[in-house]
Amino acid sequence: MHHKEIVSAGKAVTAARKALIMIHGRGGSAEDILSLANYLNVKDYALIAPQATGNTWYPYSFMAPPAQNEPWLSSALDVLNETVNEIIAGGISRNNIYFLGFSQGACLTLEFVTRNAARYGGVAAFTGGLIGDRIYQENYKGTFDGTPVFIGTSNPDPHVPVERVKATEKVLGEAGADITVNIYNNMGHTISQDEINLANKLIFI
C-alpha cells in the first residue's frame, strides 16, 4: 500500500489560483515529473507531485486484469483522491485543478479522472490509457462537462497499445471531455516537444 508522500513546487496551494497534480511513471519519481513543469505554462500554479511507494503505482501492466494490480491500484487512486481533496480544502476549486501524467502515471491519471469525472481545469496524459484487461465501463461515472483532455502516444508503443488509447478517447468523449488525441509514428516511449506544445496550447492556457 502507498504511503502518501507529496513533493511540491511552484506556488503554495493557499496562494495559487490553479493547481497541477503531476503523476510520475514506473521507476520514476516525483522530482522527475516536476522537472517537466519547466517546459509548461504553469509558472503561477501550485505544483503537486505524489511519490509512489517503491517508485511504481501498481506492479503489473496496466492491461492486466485490475485484480492483479490490487491492492496497489486502489491505494494509488486513494492517494490521488486525498490529494484533490486537500487542494480543494486549501482554497482551489475543482475546475482549477489540472492533471498530468506520463506512462504508468498517465494511465493512473486517466483512470482517476474518468472514475471521478467532473469539470477539471484540464488533463494531459503522455502515453496512457484506461486501466484493465478491458474497458470497465461500470467504473466510470459523472461528466467532464467540457474538460480539455490531451493524450499523446507513439504507434507503436512497447507498453500502451494504440487500440487502448482510441478506446479511452471514446469513453472520455462520451463522458463529455473535450478530447484531443495525437498518435505519433515511431516516436518511442518518451515525451516529444510537439506534445509539450500541444499541452500548452490546449490545456495550460
Side-chain angles (χ1 to χ4, degrees):
M1 302 287 279
H2 293 286
H3 304 288
K4 186 157 70 70
E5 177 185 348
I6 303 292
V7 180
S8 301
K11 289 193 170 185
V13 168
T14 52
R17 193 173 68 85
K18 297 179 178 181
L20 171 59
I21 300 172
M22 307 181 75
I23 312 299
H24 69 77
R26 187 188 301 271
S29 70
E31 288 84 0
D32 290 341
I33 199 75
L34 276 171
S35 69
L36 195 60
N38 295 325
Y39 305 95
L40 302 169
N41 298 331
V42 294
K43 61 181 175 61
D44 294 326
Y45 289 54
L47 305 175
I48 312 295
Q51 173 64 52
T53 300
N55 300 93
T56 188
W57 292 108
Y58 42 85
Y60 299 107
S61 165
F62 87 109
M63 297 285 288
Q68 291 186 11
N69 278 314
E70 294 294 0
W72 293 98
L73 175 57
S74 290
S75 179
L77 292 167
D78 287 344
V79 167
L80 290 193
N81 190 55
E82 290 175 21
T83 302
V84 167
N85 289 338
E86 288 173 3
I87 291 170
I88 292 171
I92 296 177
S93 61
R94 192 178 300 272
N95 64 343
N96 280 320
I97 297 176
Y98 295 71
F99 297 84
L100 177 151
F102 169 63
S103 190
Q104 189 186 58
C107 297
L108 183 62
T109 294
L110 290 166
E111 187 70 17
F112 175 80
V113 298
T114 311
R115 289 190 184 206
N116 301 277
R119 184 53 166 96
Y120 298 108
V123 180
F126 300 117
T127 312
L130 292 173
I131 293 173
D133 52 318
R134 61 177 176 84
I135 297 292
Y136 287 83
Q137 189 68 51
E138 63 272 21
N139 289 337
Y140 308 129
K141 60 184 187 297
T143 175
F144 284 104
D145 194 22
T147 297
V149 178
F150 171 69
I151 306 175
T153 196
S154 177
N155 182 24
D157 181 88
H159 305 290
V160 180
V162 167
E163 292 73 20
R164 177 55 58 91
V165 174
K166 291 179 177 177
T168 299
E169 177 184 19
K170 182 174 185 291
V171 171
L172 271 71
E174 290 174 350
D178 181 8
I179 188 161
T180 301
V181 173
N182 261 36
I183 299 170
Y184 300 85
N185 288 329
N186 300 307
M187 178 177 70
H189 196 68
T190 187
I191 301 172
S192 70
Q193 185 61 52
D194 190 68
E195 288 176 291
I196 294 291
N197 295 343
L198 278 170
N200 281 326
K201 178 183 177 182
L202 299 169
I203 310 298
F204 305 113
I205 54 177

